[in-house]
């Protein structure tokens, strides 16, 4: 793959990330923000001390701040995913551009978000001890790195086992390795249960489902949109002029 193709895919990946970010923003606004408001209301109702004046209003946070954060994240995410796509294309099997994009998006969703999320799920405001914030952040990032490395190792293992076991059995063996390794990481890494007394369990569950829905929307939309754009770069259709010329050549002349 030459540099021009990589650059074209990178640009289209960022555009696909922007489009996916718009859809994720809609989900975040309608599913996530109401849960955040409820959590903030709980926190304020149970706070013993009230802070000073807000530097950024809640209205600005839930509109301009949310939009900026999600869209910028979508563009950056799309560019990184496009580079990963350039590296993985042709190395993960004989899949077309669209199928490869969807496969990569699905694998990324599992490895980058779902596996770390199951160990360290997202918390709304009022949940989590401020004293453990740095530790929880570091462990969450560590879980992402471990999950991605284990996913890559599972793919390599599956490809090496395929000639001896066949594709199906090799896939099962690689999947079993990934699940076992992730399970060991879950067992050895510390867990946190820092929901304050009286915090509604339903609200916590709804907030976490909302964050999961945002990520599923982002990755799925990216896979679909980028797959379409990548196909136009890697497998372009004949130009319209060439189609018209060919059709003209096939036309039957009319006798005068």
């Amino acid at each position: 793959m030459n540099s021009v193709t990589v650059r074209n895919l990178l640009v289209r990946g960022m555009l696909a990330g922007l489009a996916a970010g718009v859809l994720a923003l809609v989900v975040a606004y309608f599913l996530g923000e109401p849960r955040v408001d409820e959590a903030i209301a709980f926190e304020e109702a149970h706070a013993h001390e009230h802070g000073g004046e807000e530097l950024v209003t809640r209205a600005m946070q839930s509109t301009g701040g949310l939009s900026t954060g999600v869209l910028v994240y979508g563009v950056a995410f799309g560019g990184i995913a496009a580079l990963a796509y350039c590296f993985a294309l042709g190395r993960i099997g004989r899949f077309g551009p669209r199928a490869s994009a969807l496969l990569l998006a699905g694998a990324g969703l599992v490895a980058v978000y779902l596996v770390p999320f199951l160990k360290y799920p997202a918390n709304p405001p009022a949940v989590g001890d401020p004293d453990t914030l740095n530790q929880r952040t570091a462990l969450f990032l560590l879980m992402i790195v471990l999950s991605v490395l284990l996913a890559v190792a599972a793919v390599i293992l599956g490809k090496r086992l395929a000639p001896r076991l066949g594709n199906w059995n090799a896939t099962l063996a690689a999947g079993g390795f990934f699940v076992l390794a992730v399970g060991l990481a879950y067992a050895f890494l510390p867990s946190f249960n820092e929901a304050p007394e009286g915090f509604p369990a339903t609200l916590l569950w709804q907030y976490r489902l909302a964050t999961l829905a945002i990520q599923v929307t982002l990755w799925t939309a990216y896979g679909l949109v980028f797959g379409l754009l990548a196909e136009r770069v890697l497998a372009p259709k004949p130009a319209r002029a060439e189609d018209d010329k060919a059709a003209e050549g096939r036309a039957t002349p009319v006798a005068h």
Side-chain angles (χ1 to χ4, degrees):
M1 187 177 296
N2 57 49
S3 60
V4 175
T5 302
V6 172
R7 184 174 66 249
N8 289 337
L9 289 175
L10 175 61
V11 172
R12 284 159 176 78
M14 296 171 71
L15 292 175
L18 178 61
V22 171
L23 295 177
L25 175 61
V26 174
V27 176
Y29 184 78
F30 287 103
L31 291 184
E33 286 304 306
R35 311 287 90 79
V36 173
D37 289 336
E38 293 180 41
I40 291 176
F42 176 90
E43 184 178 36
E44 292 177 347
H46 293 78
H48 298 290
E49 297 181 1
H50 296 281
E53 184 179 354
E54 292 180 318
L55 297 178
V56 181
T57 65
R58 174 62 189 146
M60 179 59 69
Q61 292 174 5
S62 62
T63 53
L66 177 66
S67 300
T68 302
V70 173
L71 296 181
V72 170
Y73 174 81
V75 172
F77 151 80
I80 295 173
L83 294 177
Y85 177 87
C86 293
F87 176 80
L89 190 64
R91 293 183 172 90
I92 56 176
R94 297 180 179 178
F95 301 100
R98 287 194 185 188
S100 296
L102 282 173
L103 185 62
L104 181 65
L109 173 64
V110 172
V112 177
Y113 187 78
L114 185 58
V115 169
F117 172 84
L118 293 177
K119 177 62 178 178
Y120 300 113
N123 288 328
V127 176
D129 186 351
D131 294 335
T132 63
L133 176 61
N134 292 335
Q135 182 184 8
R136 286 185 282 118
T137 302
L139 288 171
F140 180 74
L141 294 177
L142 174 62
M143 195 67 235
I144 293 177
V145 173
L146 285 176
S147 179
V148 172
L149 291 178
L150 290 174
V152 173
V155 172
I156 295 174
L157 177 63
K159 291 178 70 68
R160 292 188 176 181
L161 292 178
R164 287 182 290 174
L165 303 180
N167 290 334
W168 178 255
N169 291 330
T171 301
L172 291 178
F177 161 78
F178 180 75
V179 172
L180 177 61
V182 169
L184 290 175
Y186 281 5
F188 284 101
L189 291 176
S191 300
F192 300 90
N193 184 16
E194 299 175 343
E197 183 178 355
F199 191 88
T202 302
L203 175 57
L204 180 59
W205 176 246
Q206 290 176 344
Y207 176 84
R208 289 174 174 174
L209 284 181
T211 61
L212 181 59
I214 294 168
Q215 292 294 326
V216 170
T217 301
L218 181 70
W219 286 91
T220 303
Y222 178 81
L224 293 172
V225 175
F226 181 68
L228 176 62
L229 298 178
E231 186 178 51
R232 294 182 178 181
V233 174
L234 300 173
K237 295 181 179 180
R240 181 57 181 257
E242 295 180 1
D243 290 346
D244 294 341
K245 184 177 180 180
E248 183 180 352
R250 291 193 299 268
T252 302
V254 179
H256 294 284

